[in-house]
Amino acid sequence: MKNESIAGHFLQNTFGDRYLYEVNGSAFDKVGAEACFSKQYGKALFAENSLYVVCGTDSGLLPKYVAEQGVPEGTYYIFVELPEVLEAIDPALPAEGFHKKIILAKIDDWLSQAKAIEYQNFIYLDSLKFVQSFAATDGRYTEYLE
């Protein structure tokens, strides 16, 4: 069921983006991750006082992009990732994390992370948003489809 061959198979494109081919395929080959994310999400990922629950991290590139763009006031991000993908990208992640309001969580742990930041307040404000990464949308790595 789980694809254990994922660990350590990073590719790097001409834009300097490192990504797992098994997860993202050639999504970032011709255009860098930043341009892809900017086109796909635009400002939709950056509303103030919101909680974004994001399925997948695109090999760690999506939370990096969010951190580089700047976390809006009162906003949190929970990136829900498959354990084997999180384990594979862990060595490439910054030791101090991306930002204190950017949380990377395994599938079994995301709800406890949401509870810790009082997700019900975001529901009350109608500002809880679910987003899919490129990897989750493409489903190249079939575990995202489950």
Side-chain angles (χ1 to χ4, degrees):
M1 179 146 148
K2 299 262 186 217
N3 183 347
E4 299 301 332
S5 67
I6 195 167
H9 293 115
F10 280 91
L11 296 180
Q12 185 166 339
N13 64 17
T14 57
F15 306 95
D17 301 321
R18 292 187 71 234
Y19 58 95
L20 292 163
Y21 182 76
E22 293 86 347
V23 171
N24 290 109
S26 58
F28 306 121
D29 282 357
K30 294 185 170 97
V31 181
E34 182 175 349
C36 288
F37 295 144
S38 181
K39 181 178 180 184
Q40 176 72 18
Y41 304 112
K43 302 261 184 222
L45 268 182
F46 300 99
E48 291 186 352
N49 302 310
S50 296
L51 170 58
Y52 291 92
V53 177
V54 185
C55 179
T57 63
D58 283 329
S59 302
L61 294 172
L62 189 50
K64 177 183 175 193
Y65 169 76
V66 168
E68 289 173 351
Q69 298 303 305
V71 174
E73 183 70 32
T75 296
Y76 286 85
Y77 298 85
I78 299 175
F79 287 88
V80 182
E81 190 55 273
L82 296 163
E84 65 272 20
V85 174
L86 200 53
E87 184 178 310
I89 67 172
D90 184 68
L93 299 175
E96 68 282 355
F98 291 108
H99 187 282
K100 65 182 180 179
K101 292 185 175 182
I102 296 176
I103 301 161
L104 302 183
K106 294 178 183 174
I107 292 172
D108 296 340
D109 191 38
W110 79 271
L111 188 54
S112 66
Q113 297 287 341
K115 287 177 182 177
I117 57 174
E118 300 178 344
Y119 75 97
Q120 64 275 15
N121 293 333
F122 295 99
I123 293 172
Y124 177 76
L125 296 171
D126 195 27
S127 59
L128 173 62
K129 304 167 190 312
F130 293 95
V131 178
Q132 289 188 332
S133 66
F134 280 91
T137 302
D138 295 343
R140 173 181 171 77
Y141 191 66
T142 57
E143 281 75 4
Y144 284 111
L145 300 175
E146 292 176 19

